[in-house]
Amino acid sequence: MTLATASLRAKQQFIIPHTSIPLLLSIRPSRSRILFPLRGSSSSNQNLPSFRSIRASSTSNGQSFQNPDTRSSIVGDMLDYLNESWTQFHATAEAKRQLMASGFQLLSENEDWDLKAGGRYFFTRNMSSLIAFAIGEKYDVGRGFHVIAAHTDSPCLKLKPISATSKSGYLLVNVQTYGAGLWHTWFDRDLSVAGRVILRTPDGSFVHKLVKVKRPLLRVPTLAIHLDRSVNTDGFKPNLESHLVPLFARDFEETTGKSEAPSLSIKNPHHSLLIQILSEELGCSGSEIENVELNVCDTQPSCLGGGNNEFIFSGRLDNLASSYCALRSLLDSSKSPGDLADEHSIRMVALFDNEEVGSDSVQGAGAPLMFQGMRRIVDCLADGYMGENAFERSIRQSFLVSADMAHGVHPNFPDKHEDQHKPELQKGLVIKHNANQRYATNAITSFLFKELANIHKLPTQDFVVRNDMGCGSTIGPILASGVGIRTVDCGISQLSMHSVREICGKDDIDIAYKHFLAFYESFSEIDKKLKVDS
């Protein structure tokens, strides 16, 4: 979730008592079934636990969430997805893998499309955004799209174009802050790097590859209390340029007078030791690496926690939890031969990059990425249709669920919430409202989304921000205003939003999945009963 601009400026200085972050132990659930097997493991990831499907047995306040839907829990599979998806590139690649494993056909934006009713397709842009869709077998020209949209990016540290630096006998890595993170939480964590590289191949062509170094490489150490006696009374106020610089290694040359590796060149402005580590992960030589785009990532795995294993402790819940629930609901609503037999509309998932910095990029929701795809789909399926404005009519019959994480009430700061709108973990999806259109929800869209929940016996909650606080925003208003698509903003309750480690409720993942599944399978029947502009 992106903070309002004014809020971003106000949070340049942090006055937060520094506390140590406890190690959270992961508890391996039973391995009851495998839906999406991960790639073959290597020695570098043996320390990461594999979470497979968990039957719906979690508790909230001692009581199990009861739902007539007997589908198994998706929590274990989501934990696998989170542990695979250290960056927006890896999240997109994993979504691509699961779509292809389920029979979806990969399209290219650079080529002609040949689409058919009943078909399932997807395309990616920048390997950080993805659009997937399943066409109803009874699709008629002008019928709408039922879309769930989320984002793949999260606040993090990113390596600067020239990242190599050294000081006081240490090799350090220069980083940029991406988004509005709780940067004090990145101190004293076991960190590493992941992202993408551009390789030059022996024949002179270039290859785009993803890389992930799973062992701890980096750490941002805090200053000992003996050297900062006032930190617990005056607050922890790091300078983001000079204090938030990860430690990488001892400076071998400075301490021994000998060079460990060739000096940096303009072509390769990163520590040669880092390039060596990347090349070993990729199975190439360092000279083949032409460019890198790397995030700093926490190496601690996503896991279950709490006295009853009712919580999920993880980085990047905002917004990979929503992304996975959306992806999984599309896959499961379109996997059997009969799933699309009676569908007249098009089911779609849209996963965007760069939401955390405003969405204004070629792969963000501010670009016409989704609507260009929609227009091409309508044109492909028109097949000689002679009527007017098929795309515009299709948009008027469409509905968008903007799924981003929501602020659950904090037990230690309950006064930060409006008294009548205090979403709780384990109590269902939160529908977000804002009179100033920071969220795109209105009475019509919230009614339709809640009616789905009522029919399927799923709980929902409502949220508005206090009048004396700024309100964050999402991709909902951006997309709603793009072409005038009806939109509801919703999300899963969480705590510690934008921390390096966040918290959400285990039951809420399954509730969100079932709500999104109901949207794909039942929305058409509910929507046709409501008349507004007729």
Side-chain angles (χ1 to χ4, degrees), residues 248-518:
F248 176 46
R250 285 288 287 155
D251 189 337
F252 185 81
E253 182 175 2
E254 181 173 325
T255 56
T256 65
K258 300 178 181 179
S259 177
E260 181 184 25
S263 60
L264 298 172
S265 65
I266 295 175
K267 174 186 174 184
N268 183 24
H270 307 283
H271 288 301
S272 41
L273 177 58
L274 177 60
I275 296 300
Q276 176 187 331
I277 292 170
L278 295 176
S279 64
E280 289 172 354
E281 288 288 330
L282 293 165
C284 68
S285 69
S287 62
E288 294 178 68
I289 298 178
E290 291 290 328
N291 205 356
V292 301
E293 185 174 350
L294 298 175
N295 295 2
V296 175
C297 307
D298 185 21
T299 61
Q300 185 173 355
S302 304
C303 62
L304 298 179
N308 296 306
N309 282 336
E310 66 264 62
F311 301 130
I312 294 174
F313 299 153
S314 175
R316 308 174 304 283
L317 288 174
D318 178 17
N319 190 31
L320 291 184
S322 304
S323 296
Y324 184 72
C325 290
L327 173 69
R328 182 61 177 270
S329 61
L330 177 66
L331 291 172
D332 288 356
S333 69
S334 311
K335 65 181 179 181
S336 300
D339 286 342
L340 300 171
D342 296 321
E343 180 61 79
H344 293 264
S345 300
I346 298 171
R347 301 169 182 174
M348 177 177 282
V349 159
L351 306 180
F352 297 97
D353 193 5
N354 299 134
E355 189 273 348
E356 296 294 355
V357 292
S359 296
D360 290 333
S361 70
V362 68
Q363 59 274 346
L369 166 61
M370 184 177 80
F371 299 121
Q372 286 174 346
M374 287 177 163
R375 186 178 290 277
R376 291 187 68 173
I377 294 167
V378 172
D379 289 346
C380 283
L381 297 173
D383 193 24
Y385 174 75
M386 301 300 292
E388 56 93 23
N389 297 328
F391 175 71
E392 287 75 12
R393 290 193 296 110
S394 178
I395 291 298
R396 294 311 312 140
Q397 297 190 64
S398 298
F399 194 94
L400 170 72
V401 177
S402 169
D404 205 345
M405 302 299 279
H407 295 292
V409 62
H410 195 302
N412 298 332
F413 301 92
D415 58 324
K416 295 296 184 180
H417 276 71
E418 197 275 334
D419 284 344
Q420 304 304 316
H421 299 85
K422 294 184 174 182
E424 298 179 38
L425 274 61
Q426 305 285 69
K427 295 294 183 67
L429 277 174
V430 178
I431 299 176
K432 307 175 187 179
H433 308 259
N434 185 261
N436 297 306
Q437 292 300 295
R438 300 296 292 173
Y439 303 126
T441 306
N442 62 30
I444 299 300
T445 60
S446 63
F447 163 75
L448 289 170
F449 200 60
K450 284 184 177 180
E451 186 64 12
L452 276 172
N454 292 334
I455 291 172
H456 292 269
K457 297 181 172 57
L458 296 167
T460 60
Q461 307 178 79
D462 290 288
F463 172 77
V464 296
V465 73
R466 289 170 55 104
N467 290 328
D468 56 1
M469 295 178 64
C471 183
S473 190
T474 70
I475 58 177
I478 296 172
L479 296 173
S481 61
V483 291
I485 186 172
R486 294 176 298 167
T487 302
V488 63
D489 268 299
C490 70
I492 298 167
S493 293
Q494 73 164 104
L495 301 175
S496 303
M497 186 180 288
H498 288 195
S499 170
V500 71
R501 295 286 287 185
E502 300 172 320
I503 308 170
C504 74
K506 187 171 98 172
D507 287 352
D508 285 332
I509 299 302
D510 288 324
I511 295 171
Y513 160 69
K514 291 172 183 176
H515 203 144
F516 294 165
L517 201 62

Side-chain angles (χ1 to χ4, degrees), residues 223-229:
L223 188 63
I225 194 169
H226 314 81
L227 306 178
D228 186 11
R229 292 287 187 180

Side-chain angles (χ1 to χ4, degrees), residues 183-212:
W183 302 121
H184 69 283
T185 66
W186 287 73
F187 283 75
D188 294 336
R189 303 289 306 186
D190 295 343
L191 307 173
S192 191
V193 295
R196 65 176 171 187
V197 299
I198 307 299
L199 298 179
R200 181 188 292 272
T201 63
D203 64 4
S205 61
F206 302 99
V207 178
H208 173 277
K209 284 194 174 183
L210 302 188
V211 65
K212 180 195 302 180

Side-chain angles (χ1 to χ4, degrees), residues 160 162-175 241 245-249 251 264 269-271:
K160 290 181 177 179
I162 301 175
S163 70
T165 188
S166 60
K167 190 182 297 182
S168 302
Y170 294 98
L171 298 182
L172 304 167
V173 176
N174 280 321
V175 295
E241 178 63 23
V245 185
L247 179 72
F248 176 46
D251 189 337
L264 298 172
H270 307 283
H271 288 301

